[in-house]
Amino acid sequence: MLTQLNNNTEEAGTVNFAQWPLDLLVDYVLKVHHRNFHQHHEALLRLVEKVEHAHGNRHPVLHEVRNAVAASFEELESHFAKEEQVLFPHLYEMYQAHEEARPTAAFHCGSIAFPIRQMMMEHDVAGETWQHIADITENFTTPTDGCSSYRLMNRELYRFFADLKEHVAIENNLIFPGFLKMEQE
């Protein structure tokens, strides 16, 4: 889903990620996308809950927004843990072995194709969830009676979704195909 939403990894800015080495792309995803998530998702969820508490009676869609954001954040925590603790360390090892023209240690399940397929399916779920959040909030539009916290929430939800799209586009379109090709060589 997110691959369809953002096939062009340059769309978010002038950075041409396709020119970066694979290990640097993994670094970028970890240090920018994963780190931002780990540092800010709890505060964003608290803000969503605050806005839901203040405006949920007049805007019942906020209950659905809170539930979707909370569920997505829980799924993303698990997703990031798998990438950080299992997949990415092996990708770094593959890259280093490739650079040194030596064989790579076998991945614990044989090929990286299965975990990559799993990560991409999880990307699709996250993309569908966040597109749903965008749809039910009318693309993160604050109602006329919304307070400054409501506006801030929508701005941060929009920013999170844009960040997620870039993250997924880099992984799905560059990192994963690059390492699958490297594994086949």
Side-chain angles (χ1 to χ4, degrees), residues 42-179:
E42 289 175 2
L44 180 52
L45 182 56
R46 283 192 305 272
L47 178 60
V48 170
E49 290 168 344
K50 174 184 172 181
V51 172
E52 176 198 25
H53 180 72
H55 296 276
N57 289 338
R58 287 188 318 275
H59 302 283
V61 70
L62 289 169
H63 305 302
E64 188 175 351
V65 169
R66 191 227 346 115
N67 290 338
V69 168
S72 178
F73 284 175
E74 190 173 311
E75 291 167 1
L76 285 169
E77 279 194 82
S78 171
H79 175 85
F80 290 163
K82 288 182 265 188
E83 287 182 339
E84 293 164 8
Q85 296 168 15
V86 179
L87 182 59
F88 287 176
H90 186 73
L91 297 183
Y92 278 127
E93 168 59 28
M94 279 181 67
Y95 187 84
Q96 191 63 38
H98 184 266
E99 288 295 299
E100 295 171 1
R102 63 174 170 81
T104 303
F107 194 56
H108 70 277
C109 61
S111 171
I112 60 172
F114 174 74
I116 285 176
R117 191 169 36 256
Q118 180 65 34
M119 295 298 101
M120 291 177 78
M121 288 184 336
E122 291 175 12
H123 289 165
D124 288 346
V125 169
E128 291 165 7
T129 298
W130 282 88
Q131 186 59 57
H132 176 69
I133 294 167
D135 292 344
I136 65 175
T137 61
E138 298 177 27
N139 202 32
F140 310 103
T141 301
T142 303
T144 55
D145 66 340
C147 65
S148 60
S149 292
Y150 206 139
R151 285 190 298 281
L152 176 63
M153 177 197 75
N154 277 324
R155 195 167 45 248
E156 292 302 316
L157 290 174
Y158 175 84
R159 185 175 297 150
F160 182 86
F161 190 27
D163 186 71
L164 183 66
K165 287 192 276 187
E166 180 184 85
H167 170 183
V168 168
I170 290 169
E171 287 186 6
N172 285 7
N173 300 331
L174 298 172
I175 293 173
F176 295 159
F179 278 104

